[in-house]
Amino acid sequence: MMRQYEAAKQASGDAVLLFRMGDFYELFHEDARTAAKVLGLTLTSRDKSANAIPMAGFPYHQLDGYLAKLVKQGFRVAVCEQIENPKDAKGLVKREVTQIVSPGTITDQELLDPSQNNYLVSVLRYQQGKTKDESSYRYGVAWADSSTGRFCATAVAQHQLLDLLARLNASEVLVPQGQPELVEGALSRNTMRTERPRWSFAIAAATDLLKKQFKVAVLDGFGLEEFGPAAIGAAGALLEYLKETQKSTLLHFDRLQPYRQSQFVEIDAATWRSLEISRTIRGGAREGSLLGVIDRSLTPMGSRLLGEWLSNPLTQIQAIEHRLDAVAELFRNQKLRSGLRDYLKQVYDLQRLLARVSVGRSSPRDLGCIEKTLSHLPELKKLLTGCHSPWLVQLELDLDPCTELKSQLASALADACPPTTKDGGFIKRGYSPELDDLRSLAAGGKQWIAKYQQTICQQTGIPSLKIGYNKVFGYYLETTNTHRDKLPPEFIRKQTLKNAERFITPELKAYEEKVLSADGQADELELQLFERLRELVRAATARLKSNADIIATLDCLYGLAQLASEQSYCRPQLFEDSVLSIVDGRHPVLDVVEPLGAFVPNDTTIDDDAGILHLITGPNMAGKSTYIRQVALIALMAQIGSFVPAKSASVGIVDKIFARVGASDELSRGHSTFMVEMTETARILNTATPRSLVILDEIGRGTSTYDGVSLAWAIVEYLHDQIGCRTLFATHYHELTELETDFTGVCNYNVAVTEWDEKIVFLHKIVRGSADKSYGIHVAKLAGVPNWVNQRAQQILEKLESTTQREQQRENLKAAGPAKSSRSEIQLTLFGSPSHPLVEKIKALDANQLTPMTALQMLHAWKDELQDESDG
């Protein structure tokens, strides 16, 4: 037995091994110690010697719960099962590792969040050029969801890699052995990093494996040529890992989708976090994020698809309008929307059901859920007939009722299928005459045994005599010692207990063989019939997956239409130029979570006439951050094909969205709050384009006032002159408002505030013009800062404002003037400085006429001159 265990352990690598022994899963050695600590199991051993082997275990029916705990704690878990019936075993029962479960390879519904994808990601750095600088490398990235069969690949530059990983929010990431730095700083705390042998990323081996999986001679048909070998290597390594861990053919992985970044809005990791698109900053919860608030999907498939759409807003107007037309038709047609709602409430998660069928772990209940979902497809097809928007029309045409498969499943499966095959009863009576006969024989035998017990009681006069069963003796008659002398001589004694004795009779043993034989044959036949049904479903995987995708799409479109109806959203108008005009725009999250009518809407107009860069001043808590976030979120929602929270909206297509909002540090990487702020700002300044949308909040506040104002001023100039992108810049540096007079594209806005009875009232309304103060002391008072501090701060403020220092600063900034450089030049300094006399002497030199000796003498003279100046 232990030799069998050691072989299984060796095949499992670093995974915790659950070794099936009868009705228990056992763990040994270090795995037992781990299980005792993580699962709270009792640590035992079979002997008490110094060399005793530590053991721990749990009943087999508790596997799902314990498996979930181990995986959640970041362990890989290997499950070693008995692969033959103990009754048929000659000697030791054969055992085999049937699956290795890790965070990125889970397929069991009980271990997954139904509303989000569970991605396994693979990353490969591939050198394309001869030089070894960063520009010569491409990063192949592949990702897959084992529970749905979604499989994608791409190749990106290094600066895009971290952003892509942030959006995927992977459960597990594969990297070549010895290269953990590839994903350093990109993984969340809960993401497992797995190093794989470098040979599994080899391009030739990966190509062969992918061709074999998809049954093609070449991979050209998948459109991966533009990504080069990097994407192939990453995809091959991922598929190899799945085959190793799932121990199955992975039929639900039937295509590899190319991911082209140019088709989607680029959103970096900082922006993803700042805008709380899929998770809140505090707590990392889905609830309270944009995704959590706008999701009106009725199926897990629709929720997952909406998450993908939010992760990848579109950049092509035609594709966006395609979605908007479908949403608009559902928005207008309440009867169609109601019909869809009734249908979607009755379907199951077909994508994940098919994945379990594909890997051979589906249950009778899974097949029953597939049958019930298929039974509603004709009514869905009928419901979509007569739709006008091109996408809804196409979805109706593509929907395949799978009538023959549905009929076979309906005729075979019981109405209420059990979650396992153990207890039988999942094949409907009438489907298999042979099975019906065996069941009747088994049922008749049991009835005979009950009648036989009654007969023996009457013949012997022992009313307490009963018939029992165990695996050792089979069926037996049991009576107490008080009545044993009443039994006839043909009764054969088999076992003596403390107060009773057990007997058998030839007649009882004869019927026992009939009953047990019929029972066993019925169970075996039922399993065979179930496997045939599973093969039928497996053969129809491609058709069923297409239907699942259609249902997910319809659910997603329904949800967006329902949201628009509930919240009075409008259809955005899309343009190719850089316009952004929003009337009565609302923050999509606060619009839902705040009481009705509590949120104050605001207008936004960014164009050549109204200015492309808006400087927004005003006090804390007045709503500056909320306002700039809502503009970015409205643009994002428009480009996923959603209606938006506004009275009207005109959105020029955005290629990238950048948000630098809030303060955070990265102490583990040695980065202060200000360093993180500047790093993220640098990313914006280096990669934004004229079509980008940039929102910045309180840039420069993490350093001294002069440094901060200088940086903020220069950043505004750069965004205006060098990039020319649509920008909302919220700040407390009122000095920056002077820029409006020097730059035609800069416009001042502020959050309206009313002072009343020594108090301030936030109106949360964005109006033209600049604020003259920030009301910081008022806000501190509202936050509960002690009165003494507030009063002292007011005295200091009045003293500072009574001096001419503030006005002098403004004059200095005005004197600096706008940068004189063209777009091809960069203004390196904010404040000019008078030229030094020595500089003028150097300018006047004719270097071509200088001898070495003359140059040396001049250097000595200049050095003395500077020394005299310093001493003076």
Side-chain angles (χ1 to χ4, degrees):
M1 177 73 76
M2 289 309 295
R3 281 198 297 270
Q4 202 177 48
Y5 169 82
E6 293 298 341
K9 182 62 180 175
Q10 187 174 0
S12 305
D14 63 349
V16 173
L17 178 61
L18 306 181
F19 191 73
R20 180 72 178 267
M21 295 177 63
D23 290 339
F24 284 81
Y25 285 101
E26 297 289 352
L27 301 98
F28 300 94
H29 300 293
E30 199 57 43
D31 288 349
R33 294 188 179 94
T34 298
K37 182 178 180 181
V38 176
L39 304 178
L41 301 178
T42 301
L43 197 63
T44 63
S45 64
R46 291 194 173 180
D47 60 67
K48 303 301 180 183
S49 67
N51 297 322
I53 298 175
M55 296 176 55
F58 55 85
Y60 77 96
H61 57 82
Q62 296 178 355
L63 174 64
D64 288 344
Y66 284 123
L67 192 60
K69 289 181 181 179
L70 285 168
V71 173
K72 190 174 182 179
Q73 290 294 319
F75 293 97
R76 252 180 295 276
V77 185
V79 181
C80 183
E81 296 284 6
Q82 298 175 173
I83 60 171
E84 67 174 340
N85 192 324
K87 295 180 181 178
D88 303 328
K90 295 179 180 179
L92 205 60
V93 176
K94 291 181 181 179
R95 292 176 173 85
E96 197 173 276
V97 175
T98 57
Q99 64 172 321
I100 299 176
V101 183
S102 63
T105 63
I106 300 171
T107 57
D108 293 333
Q109 190 93 355
E110 296 79 9
L111 308 182
L112 292 168
D113 181 343
S115 65
Q116 69 177 39
N117 284 300
N118 185 61
Y119 282 132
L120 170 71
V121 176
S122 174
V123 178
L124 170 64
R125 180 170 59 190
Y126 187 83
Q127 185 178 349
Q128 291 185 315
K130 293 183 179 181
T131 61
K132 289 192 176 181
D133 59 2
E134 192 54 49
S135 62
S136 69
Y137 288 104
R138 292 283 283 171
Y139 290 79
V141 184
W143 59 98
D145 186 342
S146 296
S147 69
T148 65
R150 180 173 172 78
F151 192 9
C152 302
T154 189
V156 297
Q158 184 187 36
H159 73 273
Q160 296 173 311
L161 174 63
L162 302 186
D163 302 335
L164 181 57
L165 292 176
R167 292 202 298 276
L168 291 173
N169 190 31
S171 296
E172 184 176 1
V173 175
L174 310 178
V175 295
Q177 202 161 33
Q179 296 183 3
E181 74 281 356
L182 291 183
V183 292
E184 186 178 354
L187 306 185
S188 70
R189 190 177 303 171
N190 298 323
T191 302
M192 173 183 281
R193 182 179 62 200
T194 301
E195 295 187 36
R196 297 291 294 161
R198 295 198 181 195
W199 58 258
S200 67
F201 291 84
I203 308 305
T207 302
D208 290 342
L209 185 62
L210 291 168
K211 288 193 294 186
K212 185 178 180 180
Q213 173 69 25
F214 302 125
K215 297 179 175 60
V216 295
V218 293
L219 297 178
D220 297 351
F222 293 104
L224 298 172
E225 303 86 357
E226 65 189 271
F227 304 132
I232 298 295
L238 188 148
L239 185 59
E240 191 271 336
Y241 182 70
L242 286 176
K243 284 184 172 293
E244 178 184 304
T245 56
Q246 298 300 291
K247 312 290 183 183
S248 67
T249 56
L250 304 174
L251 291 177
H252 60 311
F253 285 96
D254 56 2
R255 63 183 181 272
L256 178 59
Q257 297 174 273
Y259 178 87
R260 295 179 176 85
Q261 180 62 63
S262 60
Q263 296 178 349
F264 307 108
V265 177
E266 285 191 38
I267 305 174
D268 65 19
T271 301
W272 192 260
R273 182 180 63 252
S274 296
L275 294 181
E276 299 184 300
I277 295 173
S278 62
R279 290 286 183 270
T280 57
I281 293 176
R282 291 190 176 185
R286 187 179 193 268
E287 184 180 357
S289 68
L290 176 65
L291 175 58
V293 165
I294 71 171
D295 186 6
R296 296 293 188 278
S297 304
L298 296 173
T299 71
M301 296 182 290
S303 291
R304 293 194 297 268
L305 182 59
L306 179 61
E308 289 180 24
W309 286 6
L310 270 181
S311 298
N312 302 284
L314 303 173
T315 56
Q316 298 176 347
I317 286 183
Q318 185 177 1
I320 302 171
E321 295 286 6
H322 195 55
R323 287 184 187 174
L324 284 171
D325 287 342
V327 174
E329 181 167 1
L330 290 170
F331 174 77
R332 293 190 303 267
N333 192 335
Q334 186 175 357
K335 183 178 179 181
L336 175 60
R337 207 164 67 244
S338 297
L340 260 182
R341 179 174 59 247
D342 293 341
Y343 167 78
L344 291 168
K345 286 181 177 179
Q346 301 178 75
V347 303
Y348 294 87
D349 193 340
L350 194 54
Q351 291 171 336
R352 288 187 169 169
L353 290 170
L354 290 173
R356 290 202 292 281
V357 171
S358 175
V359 298
R361 300 193 187 99
S362 55
S363 68
R365 182 171 293 175
D366 289 337
L367 296 194
C369 291
I370 292 174
E371 185 274 323
K372 288 180 175 64
T373 300
L374 291 178
S375 68
H376 296 294
L377 288 186
E379 64 186 79
L380 175 60
K381 200 169 180 68
K382 182 178 179 181
L383 182 65
L384 295 174
T385 302
C387 288
H388 302 288
S389 61
W391 205 4
L392 293 180
V393 170
Q394 190 61 50
L395 291 174
E396 187 274 326
L397 291 173
D398 293 341
L399 196 63
D400 182 357
C402 299
T403 307
E404 184 179 347
L405 176 62
K406 183 265 171 189
S407 298
Q408 289 176 311
L409 293 175
S411 62
L413 294 170
D415 294 334
C417 288
T420 69
T421 58
K422 179 188 175 185
D423 298 324
F426 43 86
I427 297 296
K428 188 182 293 183
R429 182 170 291 277
Y431 177 71
S432 169
E434 183 182 357
L435 178 61
D436 291 345
D437 290 343
L438 290 170
R439 283 173 169 172
S440 297
L441 181 60
K446 291 176 182 178
Q447 290 172 3
W448 180 90
I449 288 173
K451 187 176 180 180
Y452 181 69
Q453 175 180 322
Q454 184 180 5
T455 301
I456 294 296
C457 287
Q458 292 173 352
Q459 290 177 352
T460 61
I462 306 173
S464 61
L465 185 145
K466 63 182 180 180
I467 293 180
Y469 175 84
N470 65 31
K471 292 182 180 180
V472 178
F473 302 120
Y475 286 102
Y476 56 83
L477 294 159
E478 181 177 306
T479 184
T480 61
N481 291 334
T482 306
H483 300 288
R484 66 184 176 184
D485 293 336
K486 297 180 181 179
L487 295 174
E490 63 265 24
F491 277 42
I492 304 168
R493 181 183 287 108
K494 293 297 294 184
Q495 189 178 21
T496 299
L497 304 178
K498 183 177 180 181
N499 297 314
E501 289 197 6
R502 291 174 176 175
F503 300 82
I504 61 171
T505 67
E507 196 174 11
L508 180 60
K509 295 306 291 183
Y511 268 92
E512 176 189 311
E513 289 181 10
K514 288 184 178 181
V515 171
L516 294 182
S517 176
D519 255 348
Q521 290 178 43
D523 290 345
E524 186 176 343
L525 179 56
E526 192 169 26
L527 285 174
Q528 291 175 2
L529 294 173
F530 172 70
E531 189 56 42
R532 289 177 198 170
L533 293 173
R534 189 154 61 179
E535 282 301 320
L536 289 174
V537 175
R538 191 179 283 127
T541 295
R543 296 163 63 195
L544 293 171
K545 275 191 68 178
S546 175
N547 283 339
D549 292 343
I550 290 171
I551 295 170
T553 301
L554 288 169
D555 190 19
C556 205
L557 294 171
Y558 159 82
L560 292 177
Q562 184 64 25
L563 173 71
S565 177
E566 290 176 9
Q567 300 300 126
S568 300
Y569 283 8
C570 73
R571 176 172 180 164
Q573 303 300 310
L574 302 172
F575 301 92
E576 289 290 357
D577 56 13
S578 295
V579 66
L580 186 58
S581 177
I582 301 169
V583 176
D584 283 349
R586 311 185 301 275
H587 192 291
V589 176
L590 297 181
D591 187 45
V592 172
V593 301
E594 290 288 322
L596 185 65
F599 188 85
V600 178
N602 273 292
D603 298 344
T604 304
T605 303
I606 302 178
D607 55 26
D608 292 337
D609 296 329
I612 61 168
L613 193 152
H614 291 186
L615 280 170
I616 306 162
T617 50
N620 284 311
M621 292 181 61
K624 298 191 304 298
S625 296
T626 298
Y627 168 69
I628 62 177
R629 279 188 173 105
Q630 86 181 31
V631 173
L633 292 176
I634 287 173
L636 186 152
M637 290 178 66
Q639 290 189 218
I640 71 167
S642 170
F643 283 27
V644 297
K647 187 175 182 180
S648 67
S650 299
V651 179
I653 292 296
V654 173
D655 65 348
K656 302 176 183 180
I657 296 177
F658 294 102
R660 165 91 269 290
V661 180
S664 63
D665 56 28
E666 295 180 14
L667 297 180
S668 61
R669 300 176 63 190
H671 291 177
S672 66
T673 300
F674 185 65
M675 182 63 179
V676 171
E677 177 184 327
M678 287 297 102
T679 300
E680 294 174 0
T681 303
R683 171 72 184 279
I684 295 171
L685 299 179
N686 288 322
T687 59
T689 74
R691 295 184 65 194
S692 301
L693 175 61
V694 176
I695 65 170
L696 298 170
D697 188 24
E698 306 299 346
I699 292 296
R701 300 297 291 184
T703 185
S704 70
T705 302
Y706 286 159
D707 278 355
V709 172
S710 303
L711 280 167
W713 185 294
I715 288 167
V716 170
E717 286 192 9
Y718 191 91
L719 287 167
H720 181 275
D721 272 359
Q722 307 299 323
I723 301 177
C725 60
R726 288 162 286 183
T727 304
L728 297 175
F729 195 112
T731 183
H732 282 290
Y733 290 137
H734 298 118
E735 295 84 354
L736 300 185
T737 59
E738 304 295 340
L739 286 164
E740 184 183 55
T741 61
D742 297 319
F743 295 90
T744 57
V746 176
C747 291
N748 289 328
Y749 289 84
N750 73 95
V751 189
V753 174
T754 295
E755 294 187 60
W756 175 75
D757 194 22
E758 297 185 354
K759 297 180 181 179
I760 57 172
V761 178
F762 300 124
L763 302 181
H764 304 295
K765 200 71 177 175
I766 304 296
V767 297
R768 194 74 172 82
S770 60
D772 57 355
K773 53 185 177 179
S774 292
Y775 299 95
I777 296 174
H778 292 78
V779 174
K781 185 176 181 181
L782 291 174
V785 173
N787 287 334
W788 187 92
V789 174
N790 286 315
Q791 292 170 3
R792 179 59 179 153
Q794 185 65 41
Q795 294 170 0
I796 296 171
L797 177 64
E798 290 172 356
K799 183 176 181 181
L800 290 173
E801 290 185 336
S802 66
T803 67
T804 60
Q805 182 180 2
R806 187 180 180 90
E807 290 302 317
Q808 185 61 47
Q809 289 176 5
R810 288 181 178 272
E811 291 301 319
N812 289 340
L813 288 169
K814 287 182 180 180
K820 303 299 183 182
S821 60
S822 66
R823 288 208 172 198
S824 61
E825 300 170 336
I826 299 178
Q827 182 79 2
L828 296 178
T829 60
L830 178 62
F831 301 103
S833 59
S835 180
H836 193 281
L838 186 54
V839 175
E840 298 303 323
K841 291 180 181 180
I842 294 173
K843 288 180 179 179
L845 278 178
D846 185 355
N848 293 325
Q849 301 300 320
L850 283 178
T851 65
M853 181 57 71
T854 305
L856 186 59
Q857 291 171 347
M858 293 179 72
L859 280 173
H860 278 294
W862 291 342
K863 181 179 179 183
D864 293 340
E865 184 178 332
L866 289 173
Q867 186 63 46
D868 293 341
E869 182 179 310
S870 176
D871 294 341

